[in-house]
Amino acid sequence: MSPLPRLLVLLTVIIAPACWAGDADILGLWLSGDGDGWIEIRQQGEEFIGVIKGSPNNKPGDPPRLDDKNPDPTLRHRELDGLTFMTGFKYVGDGRWTGGTIYDPNSGKTYKGTMRLVDRNTLKLRGYIGISLFGRSDTWSRVEN
């Protein structure tokens, strides 16, 4: 194979994954990286939000999960299911959403966040304080569109 066709194949492999993703491709139901939460990503105007829809670990009759780590004592009694915990994300192209915040009910802290679709069924999230270097990442799997 001559160098030109090799270069075209290489460019296609590098560029194609980013080109397929549009702003609405993130919508749907996702399973968190730890397998403990179903999250529905919705669109509100030009922004994208995340709502906790439940946990695959909860059994019928289990007590509701509460926001018991919230720094505001008046909010510690609210149920996690139905809680909007991700807000303000905007699509910036190339399968990426930025400018949002993520509330972590496991710690009671809120972080700046970014999201990136790796492929149609894999979503990488990064939560951080200050700059992205100081944070942590999580990988979610799509449950349904």
Side-chain angles (χ1 to χ4, degrees):
M1 186 182 274
S2 72
L4 184 57
R6 283 186 187 146
L7 178 61
L8 291 174
V9 168
L10 179 62
L11 286 174
T12 300
V13 169
I14 293 170
I15 295 172
C19 293
W20 62 263
D23 64 345
D25 287 336
I26 199 170
L27 301 177
L29 191 62
W30 297 85
L31 179 64
S32 63
D34 62 6
D36 189 38
W38 286 312
I39 296 95
E40 181 181 14
I41 296 183
R42 303 175 184 167
Q43 188 169 1
Q44 271 188 340
E46 292 184 15
E47 295 185 354
F48 294 82
I49 65 168
V51 178
I52 298 173
K53 298 302 286 184
S55 172
N57 299 325
N58 281 7
K59 295 170 184 56
D62 281 354
R65 299 178 307 151
L66 301 178
D67 191 11
D68 56 0
K69 302 235 177 15
N70 196 298
D72 182 345
T74 64
L75 298 177
R76 292 181 186 158
H77 67 281
R78 70 180 175 175
E79 292 185 20
L80 290 179
D81 292 355
L83 178 69
T84 299
F85 74 107
M86 294 170 45
T87 59
F89 285 91
K90 293 191 176 183
Y91 185 65
V92 294
D94 294 330
R96 295 176 329 136
W97 292 258
T98 64
T101 59
I102 304 169
Y103 170 69
D104 178 6
N106 293 321
S107 69
K109 297 184 179 176
T110 300
Y111 302 93
K112 294 179 182 177
T114 62
M115 299 186 289
R116 179 177 59 88
L117 270 179
V118 175
D119 58 44
R120 288 206 176 277
N121 296 313
T122 308
L123 180 64
K124 287 229 180 240
L125 289 91
R126 179 116 181 116
Y128 59 93
I129 296 174
I131 61 173
S132 182
L133 179 64
F134 302 111
R136 73 177 180 98
S137 297
D138 199 14
T139 303
W140 293 0
S141 302
R142 186 182 298 276
V143 177
E144 63 185 43
N145 287 339

